[in-house]
Amino acid sequence: MALLPIRSRVLLFMSTVQQANIDDAMNALKSEYGEEGQFTRENFLDHMLSLQANGLIDEVHYELNANGELCMYYAINDEGNRTINKYLPKKWAQNYKQVLTK
């Protein structure tokens, strides 16, 4: 199965969890996208902030991690779920049928 654009894949990942931070998303998608040059923490931050700015995910809380760095947690919202359901290619939708019935 062909890879989705990574931002779409991040949104799909967010539909499978209650909440996640950048590290959670990167760990989950590393096997699919980890070899790509664009697989960086900076780019994942950009993906999350873009999804948030477009009203598809919400920041649900933040905390300092063990290194004293700010760690933001996000959750997909109804608009994000509608977007995934509307635009996800059928081959991908079959694999995520249970998740996408939210």
Side-chain angles (χ1 to χ4, degrees):
M1 186 165 25
L3 291 177
L4 291 174
I6 195 164
R7 190 164 294 167
S8 297
R9 187 62 180 91
V10 170
L11 185 61
L12 178 58
F13 164 72
M14 293 302 296
S15 74
T16 68
V17 296
Q18 291 213 344
Q19 64 180 14
N21 62 33
I22 292 167
D23 293 327
D24 296 331
M26 289 186 76
N27 289 335
L29 302 180
K30 187 173 185 171
S31 65
E32 295 172 54
Y33 297 91
E35 299 298 318
E36 292 189 11
Q38 296 182 9
F39 190 83
T40 65
R41 189 164 180 31
E42 182 178 306
N43 284 340
F44 268 73
L45 174 60
D46 181 59
H47 295 316
M48 292 291 208
L49 292 176
S50 178
L51 291 169
Q52 181 185 20
N54 284 293
L56 304 175
I57 64 174
D58 298 318
E59 183 181 320
V60 291
H61 74 91
Y62 57 89
E63 60 189 39
L64 294 178
N65 66 16
N67 298 326
E69 300 167 332
L70 183 62
C71 184
M72 297 175 287
Y73 288 81
Y74 300 92
I76 196 166
N77 57 32
D78 290 341
E79 186 60 30
N81 281 317
R82 278 192 289 277
T83 299
I84 281 293
N85 283 314
K86 185 174 182 179
Y87 294 108
L88 188 66
K90 289 181 183 180
K91 288 181 182 181
W92 280 89
Q94 291 170 352
N95 291 336
Y96 287 88
K97 187 176 184 176
Q98 291 141 339
V99 172
L100 297 175
T101 57
K102 289 183 188 180

